[in-house]
Protein backbone atom coordinates (compact mmCIF):
# COMPACT_ATOMS: atom_id res chain seq x y z
CA UNK A 1 0.00 0.00 0.00
CA UNK A 2 1.36 3.40 -1.00
CA UNK A 3 1.41 5.99 1.74
CA UNK A 4 2.55 9.60 1.71
CA UNK A 5 3.20 11.12 5.11
CA UNK A 6 3.46 14.90 5.35
CA UNK A 7 4.91 16.66 8.37
CA UNK A 8 6.23 20.05 9.40
CA UNK A 9 3.09 22.12 9.29
CA UNK A 10 2.11 24.49 12.06
CA UNK A 11 1.41 28.05 13.11
CA UNK A 12 3.91 30.76 12.23
CA UNK A 13 3.91 34.54 12.12
CA UNK A 14 4.08 36.41 8.83
CA UNK A 15 7.65 36.59 7.61
CA UNK A 16 8.53 33.32 9.28
CA UNK A 17 9.59 29.98 7.84
CA UNK A 18 8.47 26.37 7.87
CA UNK A 19 9.86 23.23 6.29
CA UNK A 20 7.46 20.55 5.14
CA UNK A 21 8.50 16.95 4.56
CA UNK A 22 6.78 14.19 2.63
CA UNK A 23 7.98 10.60 2.87
CA UNK A 24 6.67 7.90 0.56
CA UNK A 25 6.35 4.31 1.71
CA UNK A 26 5.18 1.27 -0.20
CA UNK A 27 6.47 2.68 -3.47
CA UNK A 28 9.87 3.72 -4.82
CA UNK A 29 9.94 6.57 -7.28
CA UNK A 30 11.74 5.95 -10.55
CA UNK A 31 13.90 8.44 -12.42
CA UNK A 32 10.82 9.23 -14.53
CA UNK A 33 8.73 10.16 -11.53
CA UNK A 34 8.06 13.42 -9.76
CA UNK A 35 6.81 14.69 -6.47
CA UNK A 36 4.76 17.79 -5.98
CA UNK A 37 3.16 20.02 -3.40
CA UNK A 38 -0.32 21.46 -3.65
CA UNK A 39 -2.40 23.48 -1.22
CA UNK A 40 -6.04 24.21 -0.49
CA UNK A 41 -6.94 27.43 1.27
CA UNK A 42 -10.29 27.84 3.04
CA UNK A 43 -13.04 28.34 0.51
CA UNK A 44 -10.73 27.87 -2.46
CA UNK A 45 -9.84 25.11 -4.85
CA UNK A 46 -6.67 23.10 -4.54
CA UNK A 47 -3.76 24.78 -6.33
CA UNK A 48 -0.30 23.81 -7.46
CA UNK A 49 2.67 24.99 -5.40
CA UNK A 50 5.83 23.23 -6.60
CA UNK A 51 7.11 20.01 -8.12
CA UNK A 52 10.41 18.26 -8.77
CA UNK A 53 11.52 15.52 -11.13
CA UNK A 54 13.11 12.47 -9.49
CA UNK A 55 15.75 11.86 -12.15
CA UNK A 56 19.26 13.26 -12.44
CA UNK A 57 18.14 16.66 -13.72
CA UNK A 58 15.99 17.33 -10.63
CA UNK A 59 14.18 20.00 -12.62
CA UNK A 60 11.70 22.04 -10.63
CA UNK A 61 8.59 24.07 -11.24
CA UNK A 62 6.93 26.69 -9.02
CA UNK A 63 3.69 28.56 -8.93
CA UNK A 64 4.23 32.28 -9.52
CA UNK A 65 2.83 33.06 -6.09
CA UNK A 66 5.67 31.24 -4.31
CA UNK A 67 8.65 31.84 -6.59
CA UNK A 68 11.60 33.25 -4.69
CA UNK A 69 10.11 32.28 -1.32
CA UNK A 70 9.61 28.49 -1.49
CA UNK A 71 12.17 25.86 -2.41
CA UNK A 72 11.39 22.25 -3.24
CA UNK A 73 14.09 19.61 -2.80
CA UNK A 74 14.36 15.85 -2.52
CA UNK A 75 16.29 13.02 -0.94
CA UNK A 76 16.03 10.06 -3.27
CA UNK A 77 17.54 7.62 -0.80
CA UNK A 78 14.86 8.51 1.74
CA UNK A 79 12.05 8.69 -0.83
CA UNK A 80 11.33 12.11 0.63
CA UNK A 81 10.57 15.55 -0.73
CA UNK A 82 10.81 18.81 1.16
CA UNK A 83 9.25 22.23 0.82
CA UNK A 84 11.19 25.05 2.47
CA UNK A 85 8.84 27.99 2.90
CA UNK A 86 10.34 31.38 3.73
CA UNK A 87 8.85 34.86 4.01
CA UNK A 88 5.47 33.34 4.71
CA UNK A 89 2.37 35.45 4.20
CA UNK A 90 -1.14 35.10 5.65
CA UNK A 91 -2.34 34.13 2.16
CA UNK A 92 -0.11 31.05 2.35
CA UNK A 93 -2.45 29.65 4.99
CA UNK A 94 -3.78 26.35 3.67
CA UNK A 95 -3.66 22.60 3.96
CA UNK A 96 -0.59 21.45 2.08
CA UNK A 97 -0.64 18.13 0.25
CA UNK A 98 2.19 16.20 -1.31
CA UNK A 99 1.69 13.98 -4.32
CA UNK A 100 3.54 11.47 -6.48
CA UNK A 101 3.56 11.21 -10.26
CA UNK A 102 4.63 7.67 -11.15
CA UNK A 103 6.40 8.71 -14.30
CA UNK A 104 6.51 10.41 -17.66
CA UNK A 105 9.14 10.64 -20.38
CA UNK A 106 10.60 14.04 -21.06
CA UNK A 107 9.39 17.47 -20.13
CA UNK A 108 9.51 19.23 -16.82
CA UNK A 109 7.82 18.20 -13.62
CA UNK A 110 4.03 18.24 -13.80
CA UNK A 111 1.79 20.87 -12.25
CA UNK A 112 -1.75 19.61 -12.85
CA UNK A 113 -3.52 17.62 -10.17
CA UNK A 114 -4.56 15.03 -12.74
CA UNK A 115 -0.90 14.25 -13.45
CA UNK A 116 -0.36 12.87 -9.97
CA UNK A 117 -1.24 9.34 -8.91
CA UNK A 118 -0.84 9.22 -5.14
CA UNK A 119 -1.71 11.82 -2.50
CA UNK A 120 -1.01 12.44 1.15
CA UNK A 121 -3.56 13.44 3.77
CA UNK A 122 -2.23 16.98 4.12
CA UNK A 123 -0.67 19.13 6.80
CA UNK A 124 -2.05 22.45 8.03
CA UNK A 125 -0.01 25.61 7.64
CA UNK A 126 -1.35 28.74 9.32
CA UNK A 127 0.35 32.11 8.94
CA UNK A 128 -0.78 34.83 11.32
CA UNK A 129 -0.53 38.51 10.49
Amino acid sequence: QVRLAESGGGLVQAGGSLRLSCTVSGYTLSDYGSMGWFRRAPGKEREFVASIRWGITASVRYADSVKGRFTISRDNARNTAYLQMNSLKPEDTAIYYCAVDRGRVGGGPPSRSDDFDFWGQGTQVTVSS
Side-chain angles (χ1 to χ4, degrees), residues 9-18 85 88-90 92-93 125-129:
L11 173 64
V12 64
Q13 288 188 331
S17 299
L18 284 173
M85 305 185 295
L88 282 161
K89 305 175 181 179
D92 294 317
T93 294
V125 170
T126 303
V127 184
S128 63
S129 57

Short mmCIF file of all heavy atoms in Angstrom, two decimals, residues 9-18 85 88-90 92-93 125-129:
data_model
loop_
_atom_site.label_atom_id
_atom_site.label_comp_id
_atom_site.label_asym_id
_atom_site.label_seq_id
_atom_site.Cartn_x
_atom_site.Cartn_y
_atom_site.Cartn_z
N GLY A 9 4.02 21.00 9.27
CA GLY A 9 3.09 22.12 9.29
C GLY A 9 2.97 22.71 10.69
O GLY A 9 3.48 22.16 11.67
N GLY A 10 2.29 23.86 10.77
CA GLY A 10 2.11 24.49 12.06
C GLY A 10 1.68 25.92 11.93
O GLY A 10 1.26 26.36 10.86
N LEU A 11 1.78 26.64 13.04
CA LEU A 11 1.41 28.05 13.11
C LEU A 11 2.67 28.90 13.14
O LEU A 11 3.58 28.62 13.93
CB LEU A 11 0.57 28.30 14.36
CG LEU A 11 0.22 29.75 14.69
CD1 LEU A 11 -0.66 30.35 13.60
CD2 LEU A 11 -0.46 29.84 16.04
N VAL A 12 2.74 29.91 12.30
CA VAL A 12 3.91 30.76 12.23
C VAL A 12 3.46 32.19 11.95
O VAL A 12 2.40 32.40 11.33
CB VAL A 12 4.89 30.26 11.14
CG1 VAL A 12 4.26 30.36 9.76
CG2 VAL A 12 6.21 30.99 11.19
N GLN A 13 4.23 33.15 12.39
CA GLN A 13 3.91 34.54 12.12
C GLN A 13 4.34 34.91 10.70
O GLN A 13 5.26 34.29 10.13
CB GLN A 13 4.61 35.46 13.12
CG GLN A 13 4.02 35.41 14.52
CD GLN A 13 4.62 36.46 15.43
OE1 GLN A 13 5.76 36.87 15.26
NE2 GLN A 13 3.84 36.89 16.42
N ALA A 14 3.70 35.92 10.16
CA ALA A 14 4.08 36.41 8.83
C ALA A 14 5.55 36.76 8.82
O ALA A 14 6.07 37.36 9.77
CB ALA A 14 3.22 37.61 8.46
N GLY A 15 6.22 36.39 7.73
CA GLY A 15 7.65 36.59 7.61
C GLY A 15 8.48 35.42 8.09
O GLY A 15 9.69 35.38 7.86
N GLY A 16 7.84 34.48 8.75
CA GLY A 16 8.53 33.32 9.28
C GLY A 16 8.72 32.23 8.25
O GLY A 16 8.40 32.39 7.07
N SER A 17 9.26 31.10 8.73
CA SER A 17 9.59 29.98 7.84
C SER A 17 9.07 28.66 8.41
O SER A 17 8.95 28.51 9.64
CB SER A 17 11.11 29.87 7.65
OG SER A 17 11.64 31.03 7.06
N LEU A 18 8.80 27.75 7.52
CA LEU A 18 8.47 26.37 7.87
C LEU A 18 9.09 25.46 6.82
O LEU A 18 9.27 25.86 5.67
CB LEU A 18 6.96 26.15 7.91
CG LEU A 18 6.18 26.67 9.11
CD1 LEU A 18 4.69 26.48 8.86
CD2 LEU A 18 6.59 25.98 10.39
N MET A 85 9.70 26.83 3.12
CA MET A 85 8.84 27.99 2.90
C MET A 85 9.36 29.14 3.74
O MET A 85 9.36 29.07 4.97
CB MET A 85 7.40 27.65 3.28
CG MET A 85 6.85 26.43 2.56
SD MET A 85 5.11 26.12 2.90
CE MET A 85 5.17 25.77 4.66
N LEU A 88 6.87 33.76 4.78
CA LEU A 88 5.47 33.34 4.71
C LEU A 88 4.52 34.50 4.88
O LEU A 88 4.80 35.46 5.64
CB LEU A 88 5.20 32.25 5.74
CG LEU A 88 5.71 30.87 5.35
CD1 LEU A 88 5.83 29.97 6.57
CD2 LEU A 88 4.80 30.23 4.32
N LYS A 89 3.40 34.42 4.18
CA LYS A 89 2.37 35.45 4.20
C LYS A 89 1.06 34.83 4.69
O LYS A 89 0.85 33.62 4.55
CB LYS A 89 2.17 36.01 2.80
CG LYS A 89 3.43 36.54 2.14
CD LYS A 89 3.13 36.95 0.70
CE LYS A 89 4.37 37.46 0.00
NZ LYS A 89 4.09 37.84 -1.40
N PRO A 90 0.17 35.65 5.23
CA PRO A 90 -1.14 35.10 5.65
C PRO A 90 -1.85 34.36 4.52
O PRO A 90 -2.55 33.37 4.78
CB PRO A 90 -1.90 36.34 6.10
CG PRO A 90 -0.84 37.27 6.57
CD PRO A 90 0.32 37.05 5.64
N ASP A 92 -0.66 32.40 2.50
CA ASP A 92 -0.11 31.05 2.35
C ASP A 92 -0.82 30.04 3.26
O ASP A 92 -0.56 28.83 3.18
CB ASP A 92 1.38 31.02 2.68
CG ASP A 92 2.22 31.82 1.69
OD1 ASP A 92 1.96 31.71 0.47
OD2 ASP A 92 3.13 32.54 2.14
N THR A 93 -1.71 30.54 4.09
CA THR A 93 -2.45 29.65 4.99
C THR A 93 -3.29 28.68 4.18
O THR A 93 -4.07 29.08 3.32
CB THR A 93 -3.37 30.47 5.92
OG1 THR A 93 -2.55 31.26 6.79
CG2 THR A 93 -4.26 29.56 6.75
N VAL A 125 -0.93 24.49 7.46
CA VAL A 125 -0.01 25.61 7.64
C VAL A 125 -0.86 26.86 7.88
O VAL A 125 -1.72 27.18 7.06
CB VAL A 125 0.90 25.81 6.41
CG1 VAL A 125 1.68 27.12 6.52
CG2 VAL A 125 1.83 24.62 6.25
N THR A 126 -0.61 27.53 8.99
CA THR A 126 -1.35 28.74 9.32
C THR A 126 -0.36 29.87 9.57
O THR A 126 0.55 29.73 10.39
CB THR A 126 -2.21 28.54 10.58
OG1 THR A 126 -3.11 27.45 10.37
CG2 THR A 126 -3.01 29.80 10.87
N VAL A 127 -0.54 30.96 8.83
CA VAL A 127 0.35 32.11 8.94
C VAL A 127 -0.47 33.27 9.51
O VAL A 127 -1.44 33.71 8.90
CB VAL A 127 0.95 32.49 7.59
CG1 VAL A 127 1.95 33.64 7.75
CG2 VAL A 127 1.61 31.30 6.94
N SER A 128 -0.06 33.74 10.67
CA SER A 128 -0.78 34.83 11.32
C SER A 128 -0.17 36.17 10.93
O SER A 128 1.04 36.28 10.69
CB SER A 128 -0.74 34.66 12.84
OG SER A 128 0.60 34.72 13.30
N SER A 129 -1.01 37.18 10.89
CA SER A 129 -0.53 38.51 10.49
C SER A 129 -0.06 39.31 11.68
O SER A 129 -0.22 38.93 12.82
CB SER A 129 -1.65 39.27 9.77
OG SER A 129 -2.77 39.36 10.60
#
